[in-house]
Amino acid sequence: MGQVPRMTLQVQLVLGALLADLGAELYGLQLCEATGLASGTIYPIMARLEQLGWVESSWEDPRRHVAEGRPRRRYYRLTGEGAGRAREALARVRRPGSLPRYGLVPWAGSAGVAP
């Protein structure tokens, strides 16, 4: 559990959605709706978070999806340790007064930057 995923904006959005309701299990399309990200972005992130032990997943009971006439859902939730690590990682990224990442700089008229 010592590793931290690359904290891209997409990973931050996914972690935020999972942290918004810790007790809830969310399936992929719910995460797509909560984050505005495509499924092709969500599922690789979830796989990486699961490999790191931050997230655990489970498949729903097959009888449910058959009865409802839809594909089977895989549900995801943060582990206890994963929730703590996610909060820490997001806090580091969102530190007040920290410079933006990836070479972006605030425009001259923004607060705290001399023209």
Side-chain angles (χ1 to χ4, degrees):
M1 282 282 296
Q3 294 183 333
V4 176
R6 234 177 92 231
M7 292 302 293
T8 63
L9 176 59
Q10 293 85 356
V11 170
Q12 293 173 49
L13 290 170
V14 168
L15 291 175
L18 292 168
L19 284 168
D21 188 359
L22 280 178
E25 291 185 323
L26 302 173
Y27 58 91
L29 291 178
Q30 286 176 312
L31 287 166
C32 291
E33 291 172 3
T35 62
L37 300 172
S39 61
T41 301
I42 293 287
Y43 292 111
I45 291 171
M46 298 313 296
R48 285 193 303 273
L49 293 175
E50 192 166 18
Q51 286 174 347
L52 292 172
W54 289 30
V55 167
E56 58 190 13
S57 68
S58 60
W59 288 98
E60 76 177 330
D61 186 323
R63 294 172 292 204
R64 183 170 178 194
H65 82 90
V66 169
E68 295 179 13
R70 58 168 173 74
R72 194 171 180 196
R73 292 176 179 159
R74 186 172 188 170
Y75 288 92
Y76 300 93
R77 71 175 194 85
L78 285 168
T79 61
E81 190 170 349
R85 305 264 314 191
R87 280 191 206 95
E88 291 170 8
L90 289 174
R92 278 194 306 273
V93 172
R94 298 176 178 167
R95 283 191 303 250
S98 65
L99 290 176
R101 297 177 58 190
Y102 308 114
L104 300 176
V105 294
W107 60 280
S110 66
V113 177

